[in-house]
Amino acid sequence: MSEEIKVPVMADCFAQGKQPEILFWVGSAGSFDDRAKKISRAFVKILNKANVDFAVLGTEESCTGDIAKRAGNEFLFQMQAVTNIEVLNAYEVKRIVTCDPHSFNCIKNEYPSLGGKYEVLHHTQFIDELIKGGRLKVEGNTYKGKRITFHDPCYLGRSNSEYDAPRNVLSNTNADIIEMKRNKQTALCCGAGGAQMFKEPEKGDMDINVLRTEDALETKPNIIATGCPYCNTMLTDGVKNKEKEAEIEVLDIAELIANS
Amino acid sequence: MKYIPNILFLLLFIGAIVFFATNVKKLIRNINLGLDVDRTDQKKVRISNVIRIALGQSKMVTRPIAGFLHIIVYVGFILINLELLEIIIDGVFGTHRVFFPLGGLYNYLIGSFEVLAFLVLVTVIIFWIRRNALNIKRFATLKGWSKKDGNNILYFEIVLMLLFLTMNAADYQLQVLGAEHYAKADGVAGAFPISSWLIHPLLENLSQGTLIILERTVWWLHIVGILTFLNYLYYSKHLHILLAFPNVYFANLNPNGQLDNLEAVTKEVQLMMDPDADPYAAPEENTEEEPAKFGASDVTDLNWVQLLNAYTCTECGRCTSSCPANLTGKQLSPRKIMMDTRDRLEEVGKNIDANNGEFVDDGKQLLGDYITKEELWACTTCNACVEVCPVEISPLSIIMDMRRYLVMEESAAPTELNNMMSNIENNGAPWPYNQMDRLNWVNE
């Protein structure tokens, strides 16, 4: 494919006696979903550009169990969690960054009482840190003057009260950031959470992702920015449903920054 | 004979308090039917939440119109109740405006109570219009007792405020006429900025005898009304005026996104993962514990804070009006989850009362008889309902506990979710991809 990206694997680092600064938790979506894989690659481009010493678990990574937990299967969740924690602890991981707010919430809040205690960051928080620390320079020409609206992922926003980091990062694109009527605490869910991504919705008048896309379209955006692979899929489908895919792109913040 | 009114008042007052206390006892007993959960940590944070969210109503004003109106009624309610203290003392001892010796301060207080009573009256009328005439969805969808209950409270307040103002107007006119028992040697007791123009003009031509009868009648109706209101609370959504405070205090302080990890499961998973454990070991003897039930199918499987939540819910419907599932026409309504939980808890409580303190199986449960699977599976766990609740109720925690029961006790997940879960079990991802391919994205 396009540019080469460098993705060190934890097992190799360990063999060489190196301890990376941060572990990039790719997540199942980031590893296997065609759309989300692009987000993973864009985020790695940023990490490479900023010379971040990172690694991924690669084939040693497994599903966090978050979706199983939200579906009600606490057994499966805890089996997954214990397995992952064993691997993470063996590598003495201290800091984790992920592009998936569901993994972020799960590892940050639900792993500690099972023995997995790490500092966990959402990629927008880490990018914010890189920019503020002067490690990453964003030229900010690509999207100058474009209209971007940001959709808060539930598991970053309401679930963990992080509303600023994604907005701080977005401001570096020099685009006009336009808020939807429902934003931050009152943001409407994209419809994928709570394991809904993996099932058909119950009977109703319309699909949640279409309603949320309507919220976004009201801001007359060129781009809908997301911070979650599932939100990205849901809103991309919503934009197609409204036949606006020729005019409006749905992009992750990592992609917007990698392109800027 | 002279003391008959005093005795009558005292009996009425004590009777009302005793009846209320009996119901409070029942309320506490019912809440304690829930499982134990420890919410005694971080006392300072809890107290500051009570001050900010319950006393300060910080979450009410996120919807400014309803929030502002609610604060008027709330402040009015609390302050006018100060006057209740004088009314009770006057009732017991047969005195007249016993706090009058406070002088200027007294007039200032009575005057403010009148202004507040008037503001409450106007606000409550606006509330009635919102509830019945404006077709606001979260009110329009209420049916049966809930609809009546909401209006009953408003009627109560209108009547109480009018009685209060009439009582003041009649009292004032009696003082002006110099009636025995009412008139003070050193001027008029109280200031009446509202009743003097709203009600007083209607009374000016009445005789002293008629005025006394009127004043006594409205005085009695007012205090009886208040005692009735107090006892109505237990049967009403209006319990929130008392329970909002403990409910906020005991609320979950973890991030909204954090679901508890079931300890019973942790133990079993540890056993499964322990290479030294003997898989055929007989259960230890002397363990009288019943095997743990995973998740909740009835109210007694919920924890006591969830049951307190159910009694605290005032059915305002902000949760339902923020719920993405409900907004798109699904059956799920977080408010209904709370109302169902309370209704079932009341049913269980009555069952216990009717059977000498023992619950006798009635063949019903919260799951199925009140809350359907379809409602539970429609939830996206987005936390909008939890975030918006003015008194920190979590409908989501009940939904999650019931999903856990469906999946772990009944294996009753939707088929697609079962597929997703067996994928996670077999290859560590919700999709049927091989774990060995997890790094392929790097080279694509």
Side-chain angles (χ1 to χ4, degrees):
Chain A
M1 218 185 121
S2 51
E3 298 165 60
E4 274 294 295
I5 51 170
K6 285 182 295 218
V7 185
V9 177
M10 204 65 186
D12 301 336
C13 298
F14 196 73
Q16 295 159 17
K18 285 193 284 191
Q19 180 65 42
E21 167 195 343
I22 195 158
L23 177 91
F24 172 29
W25 184 272
V26 186
S28 298
S31 306
F32 292 124
D33 180 86
D34 284 335
R35 180 67 189 84
K37 283 192 264 190
K38 291 186 186 156
I39 300 170
S40 303
R41 293 179 59 89
F43 182 56
V44 169
K45 268 187 218 164
I46 294 171
L47 294 176
N48 286 166
K49 191 179 166 198
N51 282 320
V52 176
D53 175 21
F54 77 101
V56 298
L57 287 178
T59 55
E60 288 186 281
E61 188 186 285
S62 187
C63 173
T64 54
D66 162 78
I67 312 161
K69 188 177 178 81
R70 263 76 203 165
N73 195 336
E74 183 73 8
F75 268 101
L76 184 51
F77 159 69
Q78 291 204 13
M79 299 279 282
Q80 289 298 116
V82 170
T83 313
N84 283 323
I85 289 168
E86 225 167 81
V87 175
L88 291 167
N89 287 354
Y91 288 127
E92 295 175 15
V93 170
K94 302 277 182 303
R95 263 191 129 198
I96 298 176
V97 62
T98 175
C99 301
D100 173 11
H102 298 263
S103 298
F104 163 73
N105 174 71
C106 184
I107 303 176
K108 180 176 188 283
N109 296 321
E110 290 156 0
Y111 276 23
S113 78
L114 299 171
K117 298 185 175 76
Y118 323 99
E119 185 195 351
V120 189
L121 299 167
H122 184 247
H123 68 314
T124 58
Q125 295 175 318
F126 190 60
I127 297 172
D128 194 25
E129 182 187 302
L130 292 176
I131 294 173
K132 281 184 178 152
R135 295 172 71 185
L136 179 69
K137 294 267 180 300
V138 184
E139 289 186 16
N141 295 324
T142 320
Y143 300 105
K144 204 168 184 176
K146 297 263 186 199
R147 292 170 68 88
I148 299 184
T149 189
F150 173 63
H151 163 75
D152 286 278
C154 303
Y155 276 85
L156 182 65
R158 266 191 300 273
S159 289
N160 289 290
S161 306
E162 179 60 86
Y163 304 103
D164 296 336
R167 289 175 170 78
N168 290 346
V169 172
L170 270 180
S171 68
N172 290 283
T173 61
N174 292 320
D176 292 334
I177 313 298
I178 299 132
E179 293 290 350
M180 294 183 227
K181 227 188 299 170
R182 293 185 257 221
N183 64 67
K184 298 182 184 169
Q185 284 88 347
T186 57
L188 187 76
C189 174
C190 72
Q196 299 296 338
M197 183 75 187
F198 298 89
K199 61 184 261 300
E200 286 303 311
E202 275 60 33
K203 210 163 72 48
D205 311 326
M206 72 188 297
D207 285 339
I208 297 172
N209 63 326
V210 175
L211 182 60
R212 186 51 171 167
T213 305
E214 287 175 2
D215 282 4
L217 295 186
E218 275 178 25
T219 68
K220 309 221 177 315
N222 303 111
I223 294 161
I224 300 173
T226 59
C228 167
Y230 301 102
C231 297
N232 193 299
T233 302
M234 297 306 270
L235 294 174
T236 304
D237 287 351
V239 169
K240 280 184 195 148
N241 179 285
K242 295 282 171 191
E243 299 178 346
K244 294 276 184 198
E245 66 266 38
E247 303 127 70
I248 299 171
E249 276 189 290
V250 181
L251 293 172
D252 192 275
I253 290 182
E255 295 175 303
L256 289 166
I257 292 299
N259 295 340
S260 288
Chain B
M1 287 299 280
K2 197 185 154 205
Y3 294 108
I4 286 180
N6 310 45
I7 295 166
L8 210 61
F9 177 83
L10 206 60
L11 287 178
L12 185 77
F13 184 70
I14 292 170
I17 297 294
V18 167
F19 189 70
F20 180 66
T22 327
N23 275 338
V24 169
K25 231 176 103 183
K26 217 180 274 179
L27 183 82
I28 293 171
R29 195 256 337 253
N30 288 355
I31 288 172
N32 279 328
L33 292 174
L35 303 174
D36 200 21
V37 59
D38 185 23
R39 295 279 166 85
T40 53
D41 60 332
Q42 305 181 63
K43 290 202 170 62
K44 273 187 194 156
V45 181
R46 293 183 182 285
I47 289 167
S48 99
N49 281 353
V50 170
I51 293 169
R52 206 163 37 88
I53 299 168
L55 268 174
Q57 311 229 326
S58 59
K59 289 178 88 178
M60 278 304 292
V61 289
T62 54
R63 300 203 181 171
I65 299 173
F68 175 70
L69 294 173
H70 184 267
I71 285 180
I72 293 178
V73 176
Y74 162 73
V75 172
F77 176 83
I78 290 187
L79 293 182
I80 297 168
N81 272 341
L82 292 176
E83 168 64 0
L84 203 58
L85 189 65
E86 180 176 53
I87 292 176
I88 291 167
I89 296 176
D90 280 351
V92 174
F93 298 104
T95 45
H96 175 252
R97 296 200 177 266
V98 68
F99 292 151
F100 171 59
L102 292 172
L105 176 66
Y106 183 76
N107 289 352
Y108 179 75
L109 282 174
I110 296 292
S112 331
F113 296 154
E114 282 224 333
V115 174
L116 282 168
F118 183 67
L119 287 175
V120 169
L121 195 59
V122 173
T123 311
V124 167
I125 291 167
I126 300 174
F127 275 160
W128 188 90
I129 294 169
R130 279 172 60 85
R131 209 165 252 279
N132 297 282
L134 290 190
N135 205 18
I136 297 172
K137 197 182 165 203
R138 61 189 168 109
F139 300 128
T141 45
L142 283 172
K143 288 184 196 77
W145 168 247
S146 304
K147 188 177 174 64
K148 254 190 231 158
D149 183 26
N151 282 328
N152 284 351
I153 297 287
L154 300 179
Y155 300 142
F156 249 119
E157 302 226 20
I158 291 173
V159 170
L160 285 178
M161 291 307 121
L162 284 175
L163 287 170
F164 178 71
L165 291 172
T166 311
M167 182 177 87
N168 276 352
D171 187 281
Y172 172 61
Q173 178 65 4
L174 283 164
Q175 291 193 56
V176 171
L177 291 178
E180 191 193 344
H181 180 70
Y182 292 93
K184 308 280 179 201
D186 39 359
V188 172
F192 307 99
I194 302 295
S195 63
S196 59
W197 60 267
L198 188 69
I199 298 177
H200 186 250
L202 304 170
L203 313 177
E204 273 175 322
N205 299 323
L206 298 180
S207 72
Q208 191 171 313
T210 318
L211 275 171
I212 291 179
I213 294 172
L214 178 71
E215 193 276 337
R216 283 293 84 195
T217 311
V218 287
W219 188 93
W220 276 97
L221 284 176
H222 179 249
I223 190 67
V224 169
I226 282 175
L227 295 174
T228 312
F229 187 77
L230 176 74
N231 279 294
Y232 179 74
L233 291 183
Y234 178 73
Y235 307 95
S236 161
K237 75 181 190 86
H238 226 55
L239 258 183
H240 79 286
I241 64 171
L242 302 174
L243 296 186
F245 300 93
N247 197 71
V248 169
Y249 184 87
F250 292 116
N252 174 36
L253 296 183
N254 295 327
N256 279 346
Q258 180 178 342
L259 256 178
D260 60 324
N261 293 332
L262 279 185
E263 261 178 67
V265 171
T266 311
K267 276 180 210 152
E268 301 221 5
V269 169
Q270 270 168 357
L271 212 63
M272 272 190 275
M273 308 289 261
D274 181 4
D276 300 328
D278 173 7
Y280 303 108
E284 274 177 58
E285 293 198 20
N286 307 327
T287 45
E288 285 174 23
E289 275 178 58
E290 273 183 67
K293 175 175 172 181
F294 300 118
S297 61
D298 209 347
V299 285
T300 45
D301 305 322
L302 296 171
N303 69 48
W304 66 269
V305 174
Q306 291 169 314
L307 301 184
L308 172 63
N309 279 181
Y311 275 122
T312 307
C313 174
T314 196
E315 302 168 13
C316 71
R318 290 183 184 212
C319 51
T320 296
S321 72
S322 320
C323 173
N326 194 275
L327 286 170
T328 52
K330 319 288 191 291
Q331 279 198 6
L332 174 63
S333 155
R335 171 170 67 185
K336 179 179 171 290
I337 300 286
M338 301 319 300
M339 291 166 69
D340 284 343
T341 304
R342 176 170 176 175
D343 287 348
R344 173 59 184 159
L345 182 55
E346 272 296 296
E347 187 176 58
V348 169
K350 281 182 188 141
N351 181 312
I352 292 173
D353 290 334
N355 296 296
N356 306 318
E358 284 288 326
F359 179 72
V360 175
D361 188 12
D362 57 357
K364 288 205 239 172
Q365 58 175 11
L366 186 60
L367 178 66
D369 296 300
Y370 288 83
I371 299 172
T372 62
K373 287 184 200 172
E374 186 175 337
E375 293 165 58
L376 296 171
W377 289 118
C379 174
T380 69
T381 71
C382 77
N383 265 303
C385 56
V386 180
E387 177 76 41
V388 79
C389 178
V391 290
E392 301 281 79
I393 290 169
S394 173
L396 176 57
S397 73
I398 297 179
I399 294 171
M400 280 313 309
D401 281 343
M402 294 182 79
R403 276 192 184 182
R404 284 170 167 174
Y405 178 84
L406 282 174
V407 171
M408 291 191 283
E409 296 280 351
E410 297 205 315
S411 307
T415 322
E416 307 113 296
L417 290 190
N418 281 331
N419 293 339
M420 174 272 288
M421 290 188 283
S422 61
N423 284 331
I424 294 179
E425 248 179 284
N426 297 327
N427 31 281
W431 298 283
Y433 295 113
N434 193 318
Q435 184 158 3
M436 285 304 124
D437 294 336
R438 261 199 182 251
L439 208 49
N440 293 1
W441 61 273
V442 174
N443 300 313
E444 278 175 19

